[in-house]
């Protein structure tokens, strides 16, 4: 078998909202295709397309997914739900403990 080199994955990078907005604006202007913008700025086309989609959702020009506000609210509600479920579990265990103690 041939020695097949594995493609090294690129380290995860973080981009500011301002940078993402500039990239989205370049894509929406229509001067260049999304793929070309991605290549020009050494970004993945998938990431650029996701940024464009999220910007369109936030601007209400499309409605097939959650806006940024809805995503943050969902994350907050999930965290709160997780905390409340832990509280309920603790109360259940405490109730069972004290029920055994009183017998």
């Amino acid at each position: 078998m041939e020695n097949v080199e594995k493609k090294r994955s690129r380290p995860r990078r973080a981009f500011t909202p301002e940078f993402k907005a500039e990239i989205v604006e370049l894509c929406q202007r229509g001067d260049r295709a999304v793929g070309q913008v991605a290549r020009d700025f050494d970004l993945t086309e998938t990431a650029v397309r996701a940024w464009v989609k999220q910007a369109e959702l936030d601007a209400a020009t499309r409605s097939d997914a959650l806006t940024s506000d809805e995503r943050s609210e969902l994350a907050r509600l999930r965290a709160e739900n997780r905390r409340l479920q832990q509280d309920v579990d603790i109360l259940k265990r405490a109730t069972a403990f004290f029920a055994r103690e009183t017998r």
Side-chain angles (χ1 to χ4, degrees), residues 40-93:
D40 290 348
F41 288 90
D42 191 30
L43 302 166
T44 63
E45 190 171 339
T46 305
V48 174
R49 288 190 187 283
W51 297 346
V52 170
K53 179 181 178 183
Q54 191 61 52
E56 290 171 350
L57 288 166
D58 292 344
T61 57
R62 69 188 288 170
S63 62
D64 58 336
L66 300 176
T67 65
S68 294
D69 290 339
E70 291 169 334
R71 283 181 186 271
S72 63
E73 181 182 16
L74 181 60
R76 183 187 59 77
L77 290 172
R78 284 181 174 165
E80 182 180 353
N81 191 20
R82 203 170 24 255
R83 184 186 55 77
L84 291 171
Q85 188 61 48
Q86 289 172 347
D87 291 349
V88 167
D89 291 342
I90 290 169
L91 290 172
K92 282 181 183 178
R93 281 187 256 136

